[in-house]
Amino acid sequence: MPIALGGEPLETDRLILRRPHVGDAAVYRELWTERDPRVPAHRRISPEGRPTVEDIAAKMSVVHDESGPRLLTVELRGTADVIGYCGLTVHGIGSPDEPELAYELLRAAHKLGYATEAGQAIVAWASKAGYRRLWAGVWDWNMASRRVLDKLGFREVGRAKPESAHGYTLLTVKDL
């Protein structure tokens, strides 16, 4: 099995990808508030205002298994401003041996190449770590994320089931 992601931060020219801290919870919640209305309700802020910053901070404070893939906080180099997350997960379409690339950035960080740059760092790390393949799921209507995955060398291989009123998830894969 490949090695874990989560020790030293990954650094690019403009970004630092590091372990999440409880202090990142407010930005992670802001990501929830900015989600497209086509995203299913369970991935958006509920009418009761959940998850709250406290809910997210509580999840972040739980010690996670260090032996598997993980999501990393993305911050701007030089400012330490948190702009989102990027990393590997086994939730969704991923598995321990073939994890899923996942990323989400604040709207203010869109169209600046940060998602591609963060994704490149994760893909390079995954290759060095011994992963043979990465997966990524993307909504059919999310053209910006589809372009990022294309730039990273992922290719579309089908649709995830089930489809929903919100569209469908395209499955993409990248051999390393």
Side-chain angles (χ1 to χ4, degrees):
M1 178 174 290
I3 62 174
L5 176 62
E8 294 298 313
L10 300 176
E11 298 188 18
T12 71
D13 289 342
R14 302 182 298 163
L15 305 172
I16 297 173
L17 286 74
R18 59 160 175 79
R19 289 180 183 196
H21 305 145
V22 171
D24 301 333
V27 173
Y28 279 55
R29 185 174 191 284
E30 189 175 346
L31 291 166
W32 279 75
T33 68
E34 292 186 347
R35 290 187 177 146
D36 189 287
R38 292 172 286 187
V39 171
H42 73 278
R43 297 281 297 144
R44 289 184 280 128
I45 301 293
S46 75
E48 298 79 31
R50 305 303 285 252
T52 63
V53 171
E54 294 76 19
D55 294 335
I56 294 169
K59 280 190 168 191
M60 290 177 143
S61 68
V62 174
V63 176
H64 294 283
D65 176 14
E66 296 292 327
S67 66
R70 66 183 322 104
L71 298 176
L72 300 176
T73 293
V74 178
E75 67 179 44
L76 296 176
R77 180 189 282 282
T79 68
D81 291 340
V82 173
I83 61 169
Y85 65 82
C86 184
L88 302 176
T89 182
V90 297
H91 302 293
I93 60 174
S95 70
D97 291 329
E98 294 185 358
E100 179 177 3
L101 175 70
Y103 52 89
E104 185 174 14
L105 300 180
L106 294 171
R107 285 185 185 161
H110 288 190
K111 298 182 182 179
L112 298 170
Y114 294 137
T116 302
E117 189 171 332
Q120 287 169 334
I122 296 295
V123 168
W125 178 90
S127 181
K128 288 179 191 170
Y131 289 99
R132 296 175 310 162
R133 184 177 314 168
L134 297 178
W135 294 89
V138 61
W139 286 104
D140 62 314
W141 46 261
N142 190 340
M143 297 310 292
S145 281
R146 289 175 68 181
R147 282 190 298 276
V148 168
L149 292 170
D150 184 59
K151 290 176 190 175
L152 295 174
F154 282 76
R155 68 188 191 307
E156 292 180 11
V157 293
R159 294 182 182 183
K161 301 287 183 202
E163 294 184 24
S164 77
H166 305 284
Y168 56 88
T169 299
L170 293 168
L171 297 176
T172 67
V173 67
K174 178 175 178 65
D175 295 317
L176 301 176

